Amino acid sequence: MTKRNKIIYWVATLWLALGMVSTGIVQLIKMKEEVAMFTHLGYPIYLLTILAIWKFLGVIAVLVPKFPLLKEWAYAGFFFAMSGAIFSHIAVGDGTKEFFGPTLLLILTMISWYFRPADRKIISVNFNK
């Protein structure tokens, strides 16, 4: 892995972790604005706690060395949560401002996943040789 790619990976991953932890905290403490947004989107409030816990666990999975399969699941979870947030805002007719955050986190998820080091990837075995 080149030094450039390592820097891209860690910058994207640390910003992703910060974004997921900060939004997870807002969801866990059920800030008034977050509750209002979830109500506006038509989701039950208990989903805030579930998403927050998943975000915290996903950040741990992505940052801790080893466990490449768990990392894949965490990245997939981040991708599904953020793309779901974007489409939810679009579905209710929200403007660009409302889905900027999820879009940024989605992009950081893809960058972090793409530039992750080899020891954080699942190694596939081709048995057809």
Side-chain angles (χ1 to χ4, degrees), residues 6-7 19 23-24 31 42-43 53-54 57 61 64-65 71 75 78 81-82 84 88 90 94 115 119 126-127:
K6 189 178 277 193
I7 291 170
T23 57
M31 278 183 66
Y43 293 117
I53 292 168
W54 285 347
L57 293 174
V64 170
K71 289 180 193 319
Y75 280 119
F78 289 162
M82 294 305 104
S88 295
I90 291 170
D94 285 344
F115 285 100
D119 64 339
N126 186 352
F127 292 106

Side-chain angles (χ1 to χ4, degrees), residues 48-62:
L48 288 169
T49 303
I50 295 169
L51 286 172
I53 292 168
W54 285 347
K55 285 179 180 182
F56 298 148
L57 293 174
V59 167
I60 292 167
V62 168

Side-chain angles (χ1 to χ4, degrees), residues 19-100:
M20 290 298 178
V21 167
S22 62
T23 57
I25 290 170
V26 166
Q27 291 169 337
L28 190 63
I29 65 173
K30 293 182 179 62
M31 278 183 66
K32 182 174 59 172
E33 297 83 2
E34 194 74 6
V35 170
M37 186 207 35
F38 256 63
T39 302
H40 167 69
L41 293 173
Y43 293 117
I45 302 308
Y46 68 82
L47 191 58
L48 288 169
T49 303
I50 295 169
L51 286 172
I53 292 168
W54 285 347
K55 285 179 180 182
F56 298 148
L57 293 174
V59 167
I60 292 167
V62 168
L63 292 178
V64 170
K66 310 282 187 207
F67 310 108
L69 182 59
L70 190 58
K71 289 180 193 319
E72 291 294 324
W73 279 86
Y75 280 119
F78 289 162
F79 182 87
F80 297 141
M82 294 305 104
S83 60
I86 292 165
F87 288 113
S88 295
H89 284 292
I90 291 170
V92 298
D94 285 344
T96 311
K97 184 181 90 175
E98 281 76 17
F99 55 85
F100 174 78

